[in-house]
Amino acid sequence: MSETIFSRIIRGEIPSHKVYEDDKVFAFLDIGPLSQGHTLVIPKEPAATLDQLSDESSAAIGRILPRICRAVMKATGAASFNVLQNNGKDAHQVVMHVHFHIIPKFGPRGLEIDWNPGPFDHAAGAELARKIAAAV
Ligand code: AMP
């Protein structure tokens, strides 16, 4: 568990443009927006990455996230959006407190994805799926 700027935002020690709050979740506008309406939805629990988040906070985020997406779409008029969730430095995470980005897409404004799919080996895939399933 780590103390980051987001814990201070939740406590109101650093100002934010809040759009939602309940006992487990806080949401506010990103100050480095990729597009108008770029919003961050965070658990109040200070877990660094999603794999470390409790079931209770995960459920609370899952319950409210679609509603905040709808509100962002309604307020900005965007018809498309991405939800982005980075975990770890190599995956572009800068603030080590779990957060979901809601990023409206307006033409070129919004999230640009460099998506380079590779080949799929079914034998290796079957083994990997077994390993992941056993670990869940
Ligand atoms: P990530 O790269 O996924 O860790 O994203 C962190 C996000 O936090 C970035 O998009 C930042 O613009 C945003 N951010 C950092 N500090 C603040 C702040 N004080 N208020 C709002 N958003 C912030």
Side-chain angles (χ1 to χ4, degrees), residues 63-129:
R63 191 170 53 244
I64 199 64
L65 190 57
R67 210 167 108 198
I68 301 175
C69 289
R70 286 193 291 275
V72 170
M73 298 300 100
K74 188 173 179 187
T76 63
S80 302
F81 65 99
N82 293 95
V83 173
L84 176 70
Q85 207 279 310
N86 299 329
N87 297 279
K89 273 194 206 131
D90 288 346
H92 308 288
Q93 185 178 10
V94 174
V95 179
M96 299 307 288
H97 180 131
V98 172
H99 51 281
F100 290 77
H101 297 258
I102 300 171
I103 309 169
K105 189 73 176 158
F106 302 103
R109 295 296 299 163
L111 183 66
E112 293 290 309
I113 304 175
D114 194 9
W115 191 283
N116 296 311
F120 188 82
D121 177 322
H122 285 278
E127 178 53 24
L128 191 54

Side-chain angles (χ1 to χ4, degrees), residues 17-40:
H17 295 281
K18 180 168 81 173
V19 302
Y20 177 81
E21 180 173 15
D22 63 32
D23 60 327
K24 291 200 165 50
V25 181
F26 195 93
F28 55 106
L29 296 183
D30 192 308
I31 48 157
L34 291 184
S35 62
Q36 190 197 24
H38 184 161
T39 298
L40 298 175

Side-chain angles (χ1 to χ4, degrees), residues 1-53:
M1 299 287 178
S2 53
E3 170 80 8
T4 69
I5 189 168
F6 287 177
S7 295
R8 301 190 64 203
I9 286 175
I10 291 166
R11 292 198 296 268
E13 294 166 9
I14 292 176
S16 70
H17 295 281
K18 180 168 81 173
V19 302
Y20 177 81
E21 180 173 15
D22 63 32
D23 60 327
K24 291 200 165 50
V25 181
F26 195 93
F28 55 106
L29 296 183
D30 192 308
I31 48 157
L34 291 184
S35 62
Q36 190 197 24
H38 184 161
T39 298
L40 298 175
V41 182
I42 68 178
K44 289 189 172 175
E45 179 185 331
T49 54
L50 189 60
D51 52 290
Q52 296 171 12
L53 192 63

